[in-house]
Each structure stands twice: as structure tokens, then as C-alpha cells.
Amino acid sequence: MADALVRPDQPWHLGERQMQLKQNTVASSDEMGPHIYHKVIPERYRDMISPQPHFMASFLDPRTGHVWPSAVFGVPGFADPDASDGRRIDLGAQLDPRDGAALRGLVKTGTPMGGVIIDLMSRRRNRFNGEVLLTKTGWAMRILQAFGNCPKYITRRRVAALGANAARAALPAEQRPIAAEDEELLQKTDMMYLATGHKDQGADMNVRGGQPGFVKALGQGRYIAWPDYVGNGFFMSLGNTKLNPQAGVLVVDWDDTGRGLQILGTMETYEREEIEKKLLPEDLQAPLAAMLSDERQALRVAVLKVELVRSIPGYCPHRYEKVELSPYNPKPKRELSGGGHEFAARLQWARPESDQVATFEFQLAPIPRPGSLELRSGQHVRLGLPALGQGVPPERTWTVTSAPSWFHEHGRFQISVQHKKDGLVTPFLHKQLAKGLAQEEDGTFIFHGFSGEFSPLLDPSTGEYRSRLPRHVVFFAGGIGITPAIAALKGLVDRNVAPESFTLFYSFRELEHAAFLGFLLVSDELKKKLPQLKLKIVVNITSSDAKEAVLQLRAHQARVKGAQEALFLEGRMDASLKAQLPAGDVEGFVCGPAAFEKAAAALWQTASLPSARLRTESFAY
């Protein structure tokens, strides 16, 4: 929850900023912060609010600092953002009178209120910060901030029966310590709701998810604890607890009795390093260490010291049905001991780079905790394709063409793949996934890891980043062999380092087959990020109508203001290009078909450059 009163270019309060600084997410937070918050609910958010039969809310009691985690249930349509044009959400249903927030009279104008609405089938999630507003016809949430959230860690559910648990609403609630039946509910829960806030900043409501039983009761019910996984790096909820440790957790028995469990207390987070170094209170050290051992992707563990528990029978009047756990939920270590794969790579989107090449972006699931899995510039990824094989799925290796920082920040990476008509894998990617025709399970690949060191940034003997780059770098790229060169350029930008010059010889047959020409010739990314880099591009087009294509490229570059200078040539690369090679401390890289490799080696030899300084990457992708 950000401070609604701060300037738009400074959306983070002190608690959030402390967490961002500690976790090194300041850059991404500052970049995205001013763009994610809206003073009214955007139209693109509104369509998924009214159809839901649930609205999860938090209420901050300014007298005590307690933040109550609550829910409002009704028939679809009871939550309406359109009557006010997104300035509020009118609520045509009442809070359960047994709810702790209702009993304490917090449903009154001015009470700080947070909200989250989730379409459980699509996993769309939107959050709201504001305050309670009593109206002539009922009540509403007045919007101060509205913002979207990612769909990770959300279990897909559908409504099985509206009102199926309504009869249980007549049963009284109990306020007591955590009981055995509460521990049983925690053992099967896969989602919970977390309420946080501060009297000067407002209230917030968010969701936490994981494998069933990810929330645990510890110390004979004195604490509940759960692992914290990679999120958006904003730390809205955890940042709130740095200002006000009071927090509340709501757990609901969605698929059976509808019982609700409101748990209030003070919250503390323990980083992985603190737990491993045994810097915890004595009664928490052993159980949290055991939890962390089983939760390989946890960044930290959140602990709520329990102060108050309310068990409310039939709190949710509806009965739901579990459809699918989130694919991003980390699997506990014990579930991997039988040989299961630790990560899946799930296809997110695809875009064409030419008429034969498309780039595909994958998200690792679960999202690896920072520092647990490294991607270096120029490495390749090996993926298995379960949708194409019975028994042992076929595997393929591709150069990662996205920047390593994109993976380290988001757990995402890109590959760029050429369509081969007689292949097994590339037609599957291009014809099905790129066109969006595949079923969801077809977009899940097996991740077998990153490897390789085909980059001027990496020491070929160790695979580690070099302390000093070669003075001049040359890449020979034939066709789809351009991908290592693109990875190298993006790696230089990513690390903000550069050789004195970077020369690229790029050969292809048809102009329409050439990938990444926009990035190389028109994009100003390289000039802006690496203004000191002297980039030289030599393009060879080998088709019978190469003359026309060369004239077309020359004319295009002449029209585009600030376009990258390049030499466009007809025919194959040969020894006549000797003058385009730099001299001195030069390192070369070749990736292309066998005939192209041979031509590159001959040109290198003609320039009297040492053969040991020319490295070749296999073209057999």
C-alpha cells in the first residue's frame, strides 16, 4: 500500500522504501511506481469486479492499530464500480455481523479500507485502497488508489453452489486460541488474505498463496508462519508492517463448510540469511529452519504472533470447487525427491522477428528466489517439451536473447527460434503457440538449466564474467546464428560495459528472413545505453535478387533520422571484407551454417588474426 498523499513521482512510503532498499528493487519500483496507481478505477479493471460473488476487504481501527481481514459475499453484481464511474465501489451486501470488523463498528464513513477482487478462474487480480463511505442506499468503498497485480500464486476455483453454506450463518462465532480444527484448516489451505496498514497511510488487502499447507501454526498456536516468495518487488504489504506491525490473516474453507478464520497479531519477517545464521528467537529458530529447508524458493519467512482468533462458521455462504493450483507455487523439497523437475518454463507470449523467426518469452515456475539461479550473457537454455513426447520428452537448446537482468528480476527469459518446416519442435512453436492455438498445458516446458560461455563478457575457461573485455569484438552471424550476437549486445547494455568496437558481419539469404534488423539498424537503445561503443555492421544478402534488397535497405537507412550506419552488400562474405576487421586485441565469434563458418575462418585468416581468438558456436540448435 503506497501513500495516497505523496507526490506521483514518489509513490512509496518509508516502510516500503526500507524493504526495497534492502532487497535491491529500488530501480524497478521507481520505474513502475508512478505508472501503476490510479485515482479512479480504470475501465479495463471494472469488467471483472461485478461478476464476482466475493470482495475481500481490510478495515483499520485507528484507535488500536488493528487491521481486520474481512470479506463481503453476495450474488454476482453486488459490487458495482460503474455507478460512480470508478470513483467508488458500491457494495450491495453487508459484512457478516459476526465479523470482528463489524462488531467493532468499523463499517462507518472514514474508516481506512483496503480491497482486493480476484476472478478465481482467470486469476485476474485488482487491488484498491480507500475508505468506507456510508451512502443513502447502503455503503461503498471510496477509491483513493486502484492498481492491478500479477496473477501468481492464485488457485483457480469455480463457484459450485451459491448460498450452499448459508444455513451455517446462524451459528455463533468463537473467539479463542488456535484450536486443532484451525490447524486442520491451515493444513489444507492454499490461499489466504493478508491485511496490513497504518493510521496515516491507510489500509491494504492482499493475497498470499502456495501449496496446500504453506501456512503453518507453530509454537502450540502462538504463531502462524508462511514462506514469502518472489513478487513484484514493491513490498506494499511487508513495507506496511515496518510502520505498523499489526496485521491480520483471513483463511476461508472455500471448498467445504465456508468457515472463516480471522487471525490478528503482530507481524515480523525473517530473512533467509537471518534464519541460516541462527539470529532468531529461540522458540522460532528450529521450526523456521525446518520450513526454510523445505521451501527452496522462499526469500524469507513471515511470522504472525497470534493475539486474537475468531472462528466463524459459514462465513462464506458459497461453496467453491478447486480447479488448479497455481503453477508458480514452489514445490516443497520433499516432493522433488522422487526425481520431479524443480522448474517448469511456461510460455507467456510470442512475437515475430521476421517471416521465419519468432521470439518466445517464458516464465519459470516457481519463480526462483534471487541469487538461487544465475543466467549469464551468451548462455543457452535447454528445454524439454512434454506436449511432443510420450515417456522422455524431446529436448532442444536455444540461446537466451533477453538480458540477464530481466531473468534475475522477474524469472523470465526469451529465446528466438527459426521455423524449420521438416522439424519436430519449431513447427509446434510457430504454428501452435505463436498463434495462440495450443491448450494451456501445451505451453508448459521442462526447464533443464542454463549453460555455456559463448560471449565476449565471459571467460571461456571458467564461464565467469571477465574483469577486462577484449579491445575489439567481432561477430560473424549466418541466418539464425544472429542470436548469440544479439545476446552479446544486450549483455553489454545490461552490465553497462563495452569494448572499444563491436563489428557484426550478418549474412542472410532473403531480406524478409532477417531477424533483429530493427534492433540493430533503427533502435536507439544501443546508442543511448552505450554511447561510447563504436558499432560497425556489415550486411551480406545472398539471394538472386539481393541487389534490390540492398537498395531497399540503403534507402531506408537514408530516410531514418539517427539510423545506425551499415554497409549493405550483395553476395557471400569473402576475403574482400578484410579491411572491415579491426586490428590488435581482437576476439571473434562465429555462429552459422558450416559453409558460413568456413568463410568466416578464411576471412579471419586473411587478416592474419590468430585462429585461437576465433570461437565457434555449433549451429545445430
Side-chain angles (χ1 to χ4, degrees):
M1 174 207 61
D3 183 353
L5 303 179
V6 298
R7 299 201 316 267
D9 62 338
Q10 292 182 347
W12 312 114
H13 65 57
L14 179 61
E16 294 164 333
R17 180 57 88 198
Q18 287 176 344
M19 290 295 296
Q20 292 165 10
L21 287 167
K22 190 173 184 179
Q23 303 300 324
N24 295 316
T25 62
V26 170
S28 59
S29 298
D30 283 351
E31 181 180 358
M32 291 300 298
H35 305 290
I36 67 172
Y37 294 109
H38 307 275
K39 293 182 179 179
V40 298
I41 305 172
E43 288 189 23
R44 65 182 181 274
Y45 291 1
R46 297 180 205 168
D47 66 322
M48 55 83 70
I49 296 176
S50 291
Q52 310 310 320
H54 48 254
F55 184 84
M56 319 310 288
S58 63
F59 301 89
L60 189 146
D61 188 338
R63 299 163 297 180
T64 64
H66 287 146
V67 194
W68 283 90
S70 304
V72 185
F73 297 98
V75 296
F78 81 88
D80 180 12
D82 293 317
S84 62
D85 199 25
R87 294 189 299 275
R88 68 176 189 254
I89 300 175
D90 291 319
L91 296 167
Q94 297 301 314
L95 197 63
D96 190 309
R98 301 167 298 168
D99 186 291
L103 289 171
R104 280 152 183 79
L106 297 180
V107 184
K108 62 182 180 182
T109 296
T111 296
M113 180 179 177
V116 61
I117 192 83
I118 303 177
D119 181 336
L120 292 175
M121 279 301 290
S122 69
R123 297 190 173 103
R124 285 181 66 192
R125 169 173 43 149
N126 289 307
R127 289 167 63 186
F128 316 99
N129 301 134
E131 61 186 20
V132 176
L133 176 67
L134 298 184
T135 67
K136 292 180 180 179
T137 58
W139 69 300
M141 178 181 185
R142 188 169 77 88
I143 301 300
L144 297 176
Q145 293 175 331
F147 50 101
N149 254 182
C150 68
K152 296 189 290 290
Y153 314 122
I154 293 173
T155 298
R156 291 180 68 200
R157 280 186 165 86
R158 63 169 65 95
V159 178
L162 290 172
N165 293 317
R168 291 188 171 91
L171 299 173
E174 292 183 78
Q175 191 158 307
R176 49 162 173 70
I178 286 182
E181 63 175 346
D182 304 330
E183 294 195 28
E184 291 176 7
L185 178 56
L186 294 179
Q187 280 296 316
K188 69 178 184 179
T189 195
D190 48 58
M191 282 175 58
M192 70 173 194
Y193 295 84
L194 176 63
T196 58
H198 184 270
K199 62 183 179 64
D200 296 328
Q201 307 291 340
D204 186 64
M205 191 63 161
N206 204 353
V207 65
R208 291 291 188 267
Q211 296 294 107
F214 78 105
V215 187
K216 292 178 171 56
L218 305 176
Q220 296 180 327
R222 297 193 306 275
Y223 308 95
I224 63 168
W226 61 92
D228 190 63
Y229 306 129
V230 172
N232 56 22
F234 297 161
F235 298 102
M236 298 174 186
S237 297
L238 298 188
N240 292 339
T241 64
K242 297 303 176 185
L243 300 184
N244 174 27
Q246 295 284 344
V249 164
L250 174 66
V251 178
V252 177
D253 188 358
W254 294 104
D255 308 323
D256 192 6
T257 66
R259 186 164 69 94
L261 199 61
Q262 292 179 305
I263 308 175
L264 270 63
T266 55
M267 187 169 153
E268 184 62 83
T269 56
Y270 297 97
E271 299 293 325
R272 176 174 284 270
E273 294 77 13
E274 294 178 283
I275 299 172
E276 291 173 345
K277 292 179 180 178
K278 300 182 179 180
L279 302 177
L280 275 64
E282 186 176 348
D283 58 344
L284 286 174
Q285 177 62 52
L288 293 193
M291 178 183 289
L292 202 62
S293 175
D294 202 32
E295 292 281 358
R296 297 161 64 90
Q297 298 307 325
L299 302 177
R300 61 191 64 81
V301 177
V303 178
L304 188 74
K305 186 176 182 179
V306 176
E307 296 177 355
L308 184 152
V309 179
R310 284 189 66 79
S311 175
I312 309 175
Y315 183 70
C316 174
H318 316 311
R319 186 170 298 153
Y320 292 71
E321 178 184 25
K322 185 185 298 185
V323 176
E324 179 194 32
L325 291 170
S326 171
Y328 299 107
N329 291 346
K331 291 185 177 181
K333 181 180 178 181
R334 61 183 180 275
E335 294 188 16
L336 297 171
S337 59
H341 297 283
E342 185 170 0
F343 296 102
R346 295 178 65 85
L347 183 67
Q348 303 296 302
W349 54 256
R351 68 162 180 256
E353 304 289 355
S354 72
D355 70 341
Q356 289 191 344
V357 179
T359 291
F360 301 86
E361 177 158 296
F362 293 86
Q363 169 85 69
L364 279 198
I367 302 172
R369 59 184 172 84
S372 65
L373 190 60
E374 185 177 10
L375 168 65
R376 299 187 182 97
S377 173
Q379 289 192 312
H380 49 257
V381 62
R382 191 158 188 83
L383 299 175
L385 287 78
L388 290 180
Q390 301 295 326
V392 180
E395 298 177 10
R396 296 292 186 273
T397 299
W398 292 281
T399 296
V400 176
T401 49
S402 52
S405 64
W406 183 243
F407 174 76
H408 296 141
E409 292 173 9
H410 304 285
R412 292 190 174 204
F413 63 89
Q414 296 166 14
I415 60 174
S416 301
V417 182
Q418 182 179 34
H419 184 205
K420 297 179 180 179
K421 294 181 180 180
D422 57 350
L424 171 66
V425 173
T426 62
F428 173 75
L429 283 168
H430 282 258
K431 292 182 180 179
Q432 297 186 58
L433 297 181
K435 295 179 180 179
L437 301 178
Q439 297 298 316
E440 186 173 348
E441 57 269 20
D442 290 341
T444 300
F445 293 30
I446 299 170
F447 174 78
H448 290 294
F450 302 119
S451 60
E453 56 281 326
F454 193 69
S455 170
L457 286 156
L458 301 180
D459 185 324
S461 62
T462 65
E464 301 294 329
Y465 280 110
R466 286 170 158 166
S467 58
R468 188 184 71 84
L469 296 178
R471 185 177 177 187
H472 304 286
V473 171
V474 177
F475 260 88
F476 298 95
I480 192 59
I482 188 65
T483 54
I486 297 300
L489 287 168
K490 290 186 177 180
L492 294 173
V493 169
D494 210 35
R495 296 183 68 82
N496 194 29
V497 296
E500 183 177 313
S501 73
F502 190 108
T503 303
L504 172 63
F505 293 88
Y506 185 14
S507 294
F508 48 83
R509 180 169 174 76
E510 307 284 351
L511 180 57
E512 57 267 28
H513 296 348
F516 297 105
L517 281 182
F519 172 77
L520 294 168
L521 301 177
V522 180
S523 171
D524 59 358
E525 179 179 351
L526 294 172
K527 291 181 179 179
K528 283 185 176 180
K529 298 292 182 63
L530 296 175
Q532 75 276 28
L533 176 64
K534 181 181 178 182
L535 178 62
K536 181 189 293 186
I537 299 176
V538 180
V539 173
N540 283 85
I541 306 177
T542 63
S543 65
S544 58
D545 59 350
K547 183 176 181 178
E548 182 179 344
V550 165
L551 292 174
Q552 183 180 341
L553 283 173
R554 289 173 179 168
H556 179 270
Q557 291 301 93
R559 291 194 304 270
V560 178
K561 184 179 179 180
Q564 169 66 40
E565 293 184 13
L567 182 63
F568 302 106
L569 303 171
E570 305 171 44
R572 298 182 184 278
M573 180 178 63
D574 57 29
S576 66
L577 295 177
K578 171 186 174 182
Q580 303 302 323
L581 286 167
D585 179 19
V586 187
E587 186 164 332
F589 301 81
V590 184
C591 187
F596 178 82
E597 286 185 11
K598 186 176 180 180
L603 176 57
W604 191 263
Q605 187 176 17
T606 300
S608 301
L609 293 170
S611 59
R613 300 277 284 175
L614 183 65
R615 296 161 58 188
T616 300
E617 174 89 317
S618 171
F619 191 67
Y621 278 30

